[in-house]
Amino acid sequence: MARFGAHQLREKVDEDCLLYVTWFAAGLRIIDISDPANPKERGYFIPKPGDGVKAPLTNDVYKDDRGVLFVTDKERGMDAIEFAG
């Protein structure tokens, strides 16, 4: 069985009103909270699982000052991605 559930929420919300949340087997989810009563998923990234693992084990997300997202995985290490919106 794959591990599922929220793991880490990037605690800073920028002016774009986007939340970056890692969800273990569901990868990274990017959620627009500009209308807090109606949050909308704006994007996602599901890393390739590690060798011999059924699903990713996405742990943490960090966004640098250039907007590059660094997503860590317990099996594979790290991916660096950009979200174009």
Side-chain angles (χ1 to χ4, degrees):
M1 176 188 292
R3 189 169 184 189
F4 195 83
H7 183 264
Q8 188 240 353
L9 167 74
R10 178 177 179 256
E11 295 174 1
K12 180 180 178 187
V13 178
D14 298 321
E15 291 180 14
D16 59 9
C17 293
L18 296 178
L19 290 179
Y20 299 87
V21 186
T22 57
W23 290 82
F24 291 115
L28 171 69
R29 301 295 165 150
I30 302 167
I31 303 163
D32 183 337
I33 59 166
S34 58
D35 178 358
N38 296 297
K40 293 186 171 52
E41 185 173 270
R42 293 268 309 273
Y44 64 90
F45 171 70
I46 302 174
K48 175 186 172 206
D51 294 339
V53 179
K54 292 182 182 183
L57 293 169
T58 307
N59 260 5
D60 300 308
V61 59
Y62 172 79
K63 182 180 173 188
D64 74 6
D65 58 357
R66 300 167 296 177
V68 177
L69 299 166
F70 297 90
V71 182
T72 62
D73 183 276
K74 284 185 174 188
E75 292 290 327
R76 291 187 50 248
M78 181 178 70
D79 289 288
I81 62 172
E82 291 183 283
F83 176 63

